[in-house]
Amino acid sequence: MHDDIPLTTGRARRVLDERILPAVHGVSVPLEVAWNALPGEPIPPAEGLALDYAPYALGTPWGPAWSTTWFRLTGTVPAEWAGRRVEVVADLGFDVNMPGFQCEGLVFRADGSPVKSLNPRNQWILIAEEAVGSETVELYVEAAANPVLLDYHPFLPTREGDILTSSRAPLYTTRRIDVAVFESEVHELALDVEVLLELQAELPEGPRRMRILQALDDALDALDLQRIPETAAAARAALAPALSAPADASAHRISAIGHAHIDSAWLWPVRETVRKVARTTSSMTDLIDQTDDFLYGMSSAQQYAWVKEHRPEVWTRIVAAVAAGRFLPLGGMWVESDTVMPTGEALVRQFTQGQRFFREEFGIAPKGVWLPDSFGYSPALPQLMRRAGFEWFFTQKISWNQVNTFPHHTFLWEGIDGSQVFSHFPPMDTYNSRLSGEEVAKASRQFRENRRATGSIAPVGWGDGGGGTTREMVGKAARLADLEGSARVRWEHPDAFFDRARAELPAPPVWVGELYLELHRATLTSQHRTKQGNRRAEHLLVEAEVWCSAAALRTGEPYPYERLDALWRQVLLLQFHDILPGTSIAWVHREAVATYAQVVSELQGLIRTALNALIGEGDVPLVANPAAAALGTVAPYGIAPAGDGGPAVRLADTADGFVLENALVRVAVSREGLVTSAVDLATGRDAIAPGHEANLLQLHQDFPNMWDAWDVDRFYRNRVQDIRDVDAIDAGVGSDGVARVVVRRSFSASTVEQTLSLAPASRTLEIAQSTDWHETEKFLKVAFPLDVRAEHTIAETQFGAQKRVTHTNTSWEAAKFETSMHRFVLVEEPGFGVALVNDSVYGYDTERAVTDGDVVTTLRLSLLRAPRFPDPETDQGVQTHRYGLLIGATLASATDAGILLNQDARPLTGGREVAPLVTVEGGAVLSAVKLADDRSGDLVVRLYEPAGQRATARLRVDAAVTGAHTATLLEEPLAGLETAVDGSFDLALSPFEVRTLRFAPVVR
């Protein structure tokens, strides 16, 4: 036969798009529309329904950026439609290609009850399954005019990302607001044609494909294009044999779960996410009511909490759907957090706050961690997941890798401590599946465990406020349940999928170490103020808990449970994977910085109250150590008289510059403010490579191929400007005995001032930097070329450190040209090491150069960027950093130096010194000292082994306690602890182990 495939497929596609789909709502009558455009921020629904409404003419532009317009729709169902399904069709000006990125609406009845959302892929509202005729229609639409920022030409700079700078011009024009007959048979025909058309495109040229094509031709021959509703049944009958052929016995199994990945902020502010969640969940509960087997899953306790607080009428429907087992809380975290930059303690609180919410509200503890979209995954996570009681981990983002294809889809992920968690990546490579033929075929074709396992997960639905799963997707799933040539699709709880996958893969492949995303590397640097606020707030939260616990147990000061919970939740929200990474609009980051300031202020108040209760009144000069490392003679979390810092640092003014020297190190600073030598006096080793200079600021051109705020591409290194020019330099020794060199520079449109300081008895040359940054598409780094033959860098991560090789033997290693750190990164060779410590930096890179056998290992901290999308003013203005060069470093000393740089001593005047409530010896580090979340008054202590070696730690509680137990991260007791003779507790810790302990005070 002749090749007529293009003729058939072209015919089917045109008829479907231009005739069948328009005929689904072919008979319609316009509704009367009235409106009220709000002058300011959104208002509660009850107020919206009570507004004064003025007549509105269809086609009138509406909605300046970020505004809200309330529409009232009224009319009558024609009497002749009796017995028919009747729906309202409302096109507010939608672009169907932009679900989630433009205007959206939530529909209410006149009594204030929510119906469902309106969005580009979901423009209908049910009026009656079987109309009686002459029903009155009265609906209200809260319409949000969110501007399209990620347009057909994405990443263009725009000022629409902040209500303070956005245009007041209307963005949308209504096209259709009708009451219409829903032609069910036409709708079903459309799905029949679409499923078969997409399926045949993925099949080889063989009998199955040819018969589908013939069935399509037969169906279209049976369809009268002028009488589609009347002939749709005949067309469907022609397609029925092709749709009834069963799938192969070995067909891939897809476990579908309704999904609507909603970023808690991104190209919209947090306040809009509150409404996006309400809109989506109203539609999903409505779809649950209209179907028998559809399951919808939603993560993020924060998003549930928003609905409960702001849309109680929607919350009631969610609670009912959860109880029915159709609406599935997933993930067990407060938000879908970034997992690379938050501290270990913050990740613990993501789990504890999330699980507590789900247990209290639904009596459910999710079994898995659901993180489809975060930008890489810390190797500390497997241990934290397991110790929080999670059994599985789900993500998708690693499929975005630029270079290397991840080798597994279902596997064990092993962390730095050896903990393993059963993990799955969907081979569809999407968390917004439409169940298209291409996606379903891709899942079958790409699944890397096909030899032994039978299936994969598909999160199905439009994300980011696009409305989630649609009735069309549900219809596709029904047709793909058992269809020849396709994978089998069914709605299934992820728990059931993971149970089956474990049985099929009793010995799954193992991936060891971080899940590094070969993309979005610049998220470690963008929006520095947001990252700085996060670091400061994390440390203050832990400090506040320590002092408040001590004050509660020793003085009876009330423990501020509610205030600390609320502050933690604010910080946890801002760790969402598009806020902390710096990839949201200006509005989001403006609010984040303000929130951090408020959080810090309130925490400082809590700390002052607790410290005052502890030290009492008096005039004794004291210093409180807020850190988990000794501060001179002051123990961690102790309060004592300040010790003598030692002899003042010697400062010599030479022809070449300045020499700063104490009893431990000698540092030479050139007249250009560059570090030319940094000698460990005990060994004579110079940390700086011969002929090189450290503390060298470098400015790169930074214009990635796409994803401006997210990405830095390798070619940025090809163009670099060394910043050497000095406007002024001076030096001196202060009354505190600290030697300081102050350097001021100008470059391009910016200025920078650095203060290089060396304190008595310190191995760290500290650099405090203030940059008045006014660059565009530039990347600022600071370089330290080190005379260390290092095979690895060792960068702090949550509750430990991770090694990365310094060479680029493989494509996997070469792809890691920008990597993450927390408070330090260390390079060492046997007998000597050097570390960089910092107070607000998360990104660094490593270069290795060899000349005549001499190896120079250069570490460069990433300081500032200037992308223009989505925030054209990213990082503009004054930015501050503190970082330091630790000379003669070990992993233990780098850990302590990083801790101390992030938590300054607190000078006090009071009546008494105070011993630490909890002390630990033997190489372990305290992470948290707090009272238990259950309000029992029990003391919870968390510690960890930071160096990757076995350790025996001795822990003491300076209070009468009983009932000592090890516990889960959720503070549930596991096993009793034996008390040593002196009342301490001996703990055997494995490498990088995190241990949580719980104690009941004798007196409550």
Side-chain angles (χ1 to χ4, degrees):
M1 297 178 65
H2 298 294
D3 180 8
D4 288 336
I5 293 176
L7 195 62
T8 299
T9 57
R11 178 192 187 193
R13 174 51 60 188
R14 185 178 184 194
V15 170
L16 176 63
D17 292 344
E18 297 184 23
R19 293 293 182 269
I20 299 175
L21 289 172
V24 172
H25 292 106
V27 179
S28 62
V29 175
L31 289 170
E32 292 186 9
V33 184
W35 66 335
N36 187 306
L38 299 183
E41 283 293 278
I43 59 177
E47 295 180 21
L49 270 63
L51 292 169
D52 293 327
Y53 286 83
Y56 171 83
L58 193 71
T60 301
W62 69 276
W66 308 116
S67 69
T68 299
T69 299
W70 280 84
F71 292 100
R72 185 180 65 202
L73 318 181
T74 56
T76 303
V77 176
E80 60 269 24
W81 292 358
R84 312 287 294 278
R85 179 180 170 109
V86 176
E87 298 178 348
V88 166
V89 181
D91 183 347
L92 301 179
F94 297 126
D95 179 343
V96 295
N97 297 316
M98 294 284 178
F101 297 97
Q102 56 172 244
C103 61
E104 304 164 28
L106 180 55
V107 181
F108 293 87
R109 300 180 184 91
D111 63 5
S113 60
V115 184
K116 61 184 288 293
S117 65
L118 289 173
N119 52 66
R121 296 281 182 159
N122 205 326
Q123 301 181 21
W124 60 273
I125 311 155
L126 177 64
I127 299 300
E129 287 281 3
E130 293 185 7
V132 296
S134 303
E135 289 100 328
T136 298
V137 175
E138 183 179 2
L139 297 171
Y140 294 80
V141 181
E142 181 198 32
N146 300 332
V148 177
L149 304 181
L150 198 65
D151 214 326
Y152 290 98
H153 186 168
F155 317 119
L156 290 178
T158 174
R159 295 193 174 275
E160 297 296 293
D162 195 331
I163 197 168
L164 300 181
T165 58
S166 59
S167 166
R168 295 295 84 201
L171 298 177
Y172 298 102
T173 302
T174 54
R175 298 190 187 94
R176 180 183 185 185
I177 301 179
D178 297 343
V179 61
V181 172
F182 175 74
E183 299 288 357
S184 177
E185 196 72 6
V186 177
H187 171 73
E188 298 297 331
L189 173 62
L191 290 174
D192 291 348
V193 172
E194 185 168 3
V195 165
L196 291 174
L197 194 57
E198 291 178 346
L199 174 60
Q200 64 80 32
E202 303 301 323
L203 296 174
E205 289 192 22
R208 175 59 170 157
R209 186 184 188 194
M210 295 303 108
R211 286 167 189 164
I212 289 174
L213 291 166
Q214 187 58 50
L216 287 169
D217 268 332
D218 292 344
L220 296 176
D221 289 342
L223 188 66
D224 186 333
L225 299 187
Q226 279 66 52
R227 299 174 60 251
I228 286 178
E230 294 84 354
T231 56
R236 293 197 68 206
L239 296 175
L243 287 164
S244 62
D248 297 336
S250 59
H252 187 74
R253 299 168 65 179
I254 292 177
S255 298
I257 179 69
H259 190 237
H261 177 75
I262 304 176
D263 288 318
S264 291
W266 179 28
L267 301 180
W268 48 85
V270 168
R271 70 93 150 138
E272 193 56 31
T273 313
V274 174
R275 300 201 295 175
K276 283 178 177 280
V277 174
R279 289 190 285 259
T280 301
T281 53
S282 66
S283 283
M284 295 302 92
T285 52
D286 182 70
L287 191 58
I288 286 170
D289 290 342
Q290 295 187 36
T291 57
D292 296 326
D293 58 349
F294 169 65
L295 299 176
Y296 178 72
M298 190 172 91
S299 71
S300 302
Q302 171 69 87
Q303 296 190 358
Y304 288 83
W306 278 332
V307 178
K308 182 180 180 183
E309 178 183 359
H310 297 283
R311 291 291 187 270
E313 64 282 355
V314 179
W315 174 251
T316 300
R317 294 169 64 176
I318 291 175
V319 171
V322 171
R326 304 283 300 284
F327 196 115
L328 311 178
L330 299 176
M333 297 180 74
W334 189 248
V335 296
E336 289 186 11
S337 170
D338 179 83
T339 71
V340 174
M341 290 177 280
T343 61
E345 199 56 44
L347 287 180
V348 170
R349 306 312 172 90
Q350 290 284 355
F351 294 144
T352 60
Q353 292 283 353
Q355 289 286 62
R356 193 197 324 171
F357 182 91
F358 289 131
R359 287 179 176 182
E360 290 176 354
E361 299 296 339
F362 304 121
I364 289 173
K367 293 183 178 181
V369 174
W370 184 272
L371 284 174
D373 190 33
S374 296
F375 308 148
Y377 303 92
S378 161
L381 270 177
Q383 177 179 195
L384 302 185
M385 293 179 194
R386 297 304 303 273
R387 290 179 183 255
F390 294 105
E391 299 175 4
W392 54 260
F393 170 61
F394 174 89
T395 186
Q396 179 271 329
K397 199 67 174 186
I398 303 300
S399 71
W400 287 39
N401 275 2
Q402 277 183 325
V403 179
N404 298 286
T405 300
F406 195 78
H408 315 300
H409 285 113
T410 304
F411 61 102
L412 285 175
W413 178 26
E414 182 176 318
I416 54 175
D417 74 309
S419 294
Q420 295 181 330
V421 63
F422 198 72
S423 304
H424 179 69
F425 295 174
M428 267 187 193
D429 293 345
T430 181
Y431 47 79
N432 289 324
S433 172
R434 296 173 289 115
L435 291 179
S436 69
E438 179 183 7
E439 291 168 341
V440 171
K442 190 175 186 180
S444 302
R445 182 175 63 251
Q446 290 197 158
F447 185 54
R448 290 180 172 266
E449 280 66 55
N450 265 327
R451 287 192 175 205
R452 294 187 178 274
T454 60
S456 62
I457 289 178
V460 179
W462 298 107
D464 291 320
T469 317
T470 65
R471 62 181 173 189
E472 288 79 14
M473 295 170 187
V474 171
K476 282 190 168 185
R479 287 159 176 79
L480 296 173
D482 188 15
L483 183 61
E484 183 185 358
S486 172
R488 289 189 173 91
V489 176
R490 71 171 177 178
W491 303 106
E492 186 173 50
H493 196 302
D495 287 350
F497 164 82
F498 278 98
D499 288 345
R500 185 171 60 254
R502 280 192 203 92
E504 292 175 342
L505 290 168
V510 179
W511 180 269
V512 179
E514 67 181 323
L515 293 171
Y516 178 90
L517 177 62
E518 297 174 4
L519 198 73
H520 295 359
R521 302 169 182 89
T523 57
L524 299 171
T525 306
S526 298
Q527 296 287 0
H528 176 68
R529 290 188 191 91
T530 297
K531 292 172 170 59
Q532 191 173 53
N534 173 73
R535 181 78 67 87
R536 184 74 175 131
E538 286 176 324
H539 284 80
L540 284 174
L541 279 161
V542 170
E543 183 191 353
E545 290 177 336
V546 171
W547 301 128
C548 289
S549 298
L553 293 181
R554 287 177 169 165
T555 74
E557 181 75 19
Y559 190 81
Y561 291 105
E562 297 299 333
R563 293 175 72 189
L564 285 169
D565 266 350
L567 293 169
W568 265 115
R569 289 178 174 185
Q570 286 180 282
V571 172
L572 297 178
L573 167 60
L574 297 180
Q575 290 178 340
F576 177 73
H577 66 255
D578 272 309
I579 302 179
L580 181 54
T583 52
S584 290
I585 56 175
W587 191 347
V588 173
H589 291 289
R590 172 168 58 80
E591 290 188 336
V593 171
T595 298
Y596 284 129
Q598 173 265 319
V599 167
V600 166
S601 176
E602 186 163 353
L603 287 170
Q604 296 286 21
L606 292 176
I607 290 168
R608 281 194 299 271
T609 298
L611 289 174
N612 289 339
L614 287 166
I615 64 176
E617 295 184 1
D619 56 5
V620 179
L622 300 166
V623 62
N625 180 3
L631 180 65
T633 59
V634 185
Y637 302 124
I639 306 172
D644 182 5
V649 177
R650 295 180 295 278
L651 174 67
D653 189 339
T654 71
D656 294 328
F658 306 95
V659 177
L660 294 67
E661 184 173 354
N662 63 19
L664 300 175
V665 298
R666 182 176 62 248
V667 177
V669 180
S670 73
R671 293 287 172 183
E672 290 182 314
L674 303 176
V675 179
T676 56
S677 176
V679 177
D680 173 16
L681 295 178
T683 64
R685 282 291 303 269
D686 194 337
I688 308 304
H692 291 75
E693 299 159 313
N695 189 41
L696 175 63
L697 293 169
Q698 296 182 311
L699 192 66
H700 295 269
Q701 186 167 281
D702 181 22
F703 189 63
N705 288 349
M706 58 191 302
W707 298 107
D708 293 30
W710 294 256
D711 283 359
V712 56
D713 288 328
R714 176 178 285 279
F715 53 73
Y716 87 92
R717 289 183 176 179
N718 299 345
R719 186 177 179 88
V720 59
Q721 172 191 348
D722 291 345
I723 300 172
R724 294 178 171 274
D725 292 344
V726 175
D727 297 337
I729 186 169
D730 54 74
V733 179
S735 59
D736 55 1
V738 177
R740 296 177 176 86
V741 178
V742 180
V743 187
R744 299 176 183 85
R745 309 179 192 275
S746 301
F747 60 93
S748 184
S750 304
T751 59
V752 62
E753 179 176 297
Q754 291 182 323
T755 300
L756 290 71
S757 60
L758 182 65
S762 174
R763 289 185 171 276
T764 302
L765 176 70
E766 184 176 315
I767 299 151
Q769 178 169 314
S770 177
T771 309
D772 192 4
W773 180 249
H774 296 284
E775 303 303 309
T776 299
E777 294 161 354
K778 295 293 175 64
F779 196 179
L780 182 67
K781 288 185 170 259
V782 60
F784 291 82
L786 305 174
D787 189 15
V788 180
R789 191 185 186 97
E791 296 181 359
H792 303 86
T793 63
I794 305 173
E796 187 184 38
T797 188
Q798 297 92 350
F799 298 123
Q802 59 180 315
K803 290 184 176 181
R804 300 182 181 99
V805 296
T806 55
H807 62 73
T808 55
N809 284 356
T810 71
S811 60
W812 292 90
E813 293 150 359
K816 296 182 180 181
F817 60 83
E818 182 80 6
T819 48
S820 66
M821 63 188 296
H822 278 201
R823 294 171 295 198
F824 71 83
V825 58
L826 165 70
V827 290
E828 59 181 357
E829 61 184 54
F832 186 71
V834 182
L836 297 180
V837 294
N838 76 87
D839 78 335
S840 54
V841 172
Y842 292 95
Y844 77 97
D845 73 84
T846 309
E847 292 185 1
R848 181 177 181 273
V850 181
T851 304
D852 297 329
D854 294 326
V855 177
V856 176
T857 304
T858 299
L859 294 178
R860 300 194 310 159
L861 300 181
S862 302
L863 301 180
L864 294 170
R865 296 187 70 235
R868 301 183 67 204
F869 182 88
D871 176 6
E873 300 295 325
T874 301
D875 284 345
Q876 299 300 298
V878 176
Q879 305 282 354
T880 60
H881 296 80
R882 286 173 67 197
Y883 49 93
L885 176 70
L886 178 60
I887 305 154
T890 63
L891 184 51
S893 67
T895 300
D896 286 350
I899 290 171
L900 292 170
L901 188 71
N902 281 268
Q903 292 178 282
D904 292 328
R906 292 184 177 274
L908 303 169
T909 302
R912 57 183 173 268
E913 60 184 286
V914 180
L917 177 63
V918 177
T919 58
V920 62
E921 301 171 353
V925 176
L926 286 171
S927 173
V929 177
K930 61 187 290 290
L931 296 194
D933 287 346
D934 63 9
R935 312 299 201 259
S936 64
D938 284 3
L939 178 69
V940 172
V941 177
R942 191 159 21 256
L943 48 79
Y944 66 99
E945 194 291 308
Q949 59 191 23
R950 297 184 185 276
T952 300
R954 172 159 288 188
L955 183 140
R956 293 182 178 86
V957 178
D958 190 8
V961 296
T962 184
H965 289 83
T966 58
T968 69
L969 291 184
L970 304 183
E971 303 178 359
E972 299 159 335
L974 289 172
L977 286 174
E978 292 188 9
T979 308
V981 175
D982 62 355
S984 64
F985 302 89
D986 290 332
L987 308 170
L989 300 176
S990 58
F992 295 130
E993 181 181 355
V994 180
R995 185 79 65 87
T996 303
L997 310 170
R998 181 166 179 152
F999 306 92
V1002 171
V1003 179
R1004 300 299 176 97

